[in-house]
Amino acid sequence: MVAEGPVVIALDGGAHSAHTLRWGLEEAERRDADVLLVHAWQEPYEITPLGWYAPLVDLGLDRGAQAYLDAERARATAAHPGLRIATRAVQGAPVPALLAAAEGAQLLVIGASGRPDGSRLSSVAGHVAAHAPVPVAVVRRAAGDGPAGPVVVGVDGSAASLAAARTAARAALSRDVALVLVHARPTVGDPYGTHDAPVPLPPDEAGAAHHAASRLAEELREEHPGLRVDVEVVEDSPAHALAARSVGSDLVVVGCRGLGAFRGMLLGSVSHDVLRTAASSVLVGRAA
């Protein structure tokens, strides 16, 4: 991948941090990028009848945060001696601290939650993925556990999905795995309230949807010789289809959208749902 800036890896010291670190280091190696390990810390506050106050004694939290990063850097350097790894302990609330640290990076890597398997989605990861100025990888499982599956991306013909597809193609090529383009039609509510049913695809529309996805697949194969690109057209809601396809996949790629000053910095409903429900790690791309 052609990009500048380091790969920033957010570490919170939780059970999932080891998986997040390993995933980020391996991604930095693929990109031949520098690494910046970031840990945000905050002074606790005491509540009194007169308000909130910081403790009067030095708790040494800044030194503890730096010691934690130094230890993680030593482990990372031992496992990946070819990487250039720096650290930064930042004081402040996690979300603004990580957004500031990500300025100028080519990728921000963060664990989906503090759980060892990265299940669920923490509020910090959700806010960072939605508002970071750079692409964000939300790590949901340990890298290298079992054979690598494909990289999956949803396509609907929009500019955001085309950008996400090209990001996904580069990710698949760097991993030496297949790319799967998923075109899903949303479900609609049963007017009688009994169940939800997929929107039927008329033969002509089904053929047109498959043709458009196949044409994009051919373009990606031409841009990346040797890349295997598969196309799947399904009758399902886009978010559910991508979450279902994420099982056994190495990575799901989604895009961001936005308007005006926030262009490219807001998650759509599909991307947000995939972040919450995907079984794999999710890469949130940013439109150029």
Side-chain angles (χ1 to χ4, degrees):
M1 299 181 184
V2 180
E4 297 180 355
V7 169
V8 175
I9 306 175
L11 302 176
D12 62 8
H16 191 52
S17 285
H19 300 331
T20 303
L21 177 61
R22 183 167 62 163
W23 196 101
L25 293 173
E26 292 180 354
E27 184 65 19
E29 283 194 330
R30 295 186 189 101
R31 296 167 177 249
D32 190 25
D34 293 346
V35 174
L36 176 62
L37 307 182
V38 176
H39 177 67
W41 62 278
Q42 286 182 281
E43 289 277 7
Y45 288 86
E46 298 177 358
I47 303 177
T48 74
L50 299 178
W52 298 66
Y53 294 93
L56 299 178
V57 297
D58 180 8
L59 300 178
L61 297 182
D62 55 339
R63 296 186 294 277
Q66 189 59 55
Y68 164 69
L69 286 175
D70 290 342
E72 293 303 304
R73 180 180 183 275
R75 296 189 186 95
T77 300
H80 301 268
L83 290 177
R84 298 172 294 276
I85 304 173
T87 64
R88 183 184 302 170
V90 290
Q91 182 179 8
V95 172
L98 294 176
L99 295 182
E103 288 287 349
Q106 60 176 281
L107 179 69
L108 172 59
V109 179
I110 186 171
S113 72
R115 296 190 175 193
D117 61 352
S119 60
R120 300 176 60 181
L121 180 71
S122 71
S123 60
V124 171
H127 278 85
V128 167
H131 299 290
V134 299
V136 178
V138 179
V139 180
R140 189 166 258 118
R141 66 181 182 190
D145 288 353
V151 172
V152 176
V153 63
V155 294
D156 60 10
S158 66
S161 77
L162 295 178
R166 285 180 162 78
T167 297
R170 294 191 295 269
L173 194 67
S174 70
R175 287 164 170 76
D176 194 24
V177 299
L179 171 65
V180 178
L181 306 182
V182 177
H183 177 76
R185 290 287 296 266
T187 58
V188 294
D190 185 340
Y192 300 102
T194 56
H195 62 279
D196 288 344
V199 177
L201 284 174
D204 56 338
E205 290 190 25
H210 195 278
H211 178 71
S214 297
R215 186 169 62 250
L216 174 59
E218 282 301 322
E219 292 176 4
L220 294 175
R221 294 186 191 105
E222 291 177 2
E223 293 172 8
H224 306 282
L227 175 64
R228 174 185 167 185
V229 185
D230 298 327
V231 176
E232 297 180 3
V233 178
V234 298
E235 294 185 358
D236 196 356
S237 66
H240 184 269
L242 290 174
R245 196 61 180 82
S246 72
V247 177
S249 298
D250 193 67
L251 184 69
V252 173
V253 179
V254 297
C256 257
R257 62 174 177 79
L259 299 174
F262 298 101
R263 184 174 301 278
M265 295 182 67
L266 293 175
L267 284 180
S269 60
V270 171
S271 296
H272 184 266
D273 286 348
V274 171
L275 269 178
R276 289 191 302 104
T277 60
S280 68
S281 298
V282 178
L283 175 61
V284 181
R286 290 293 186 274

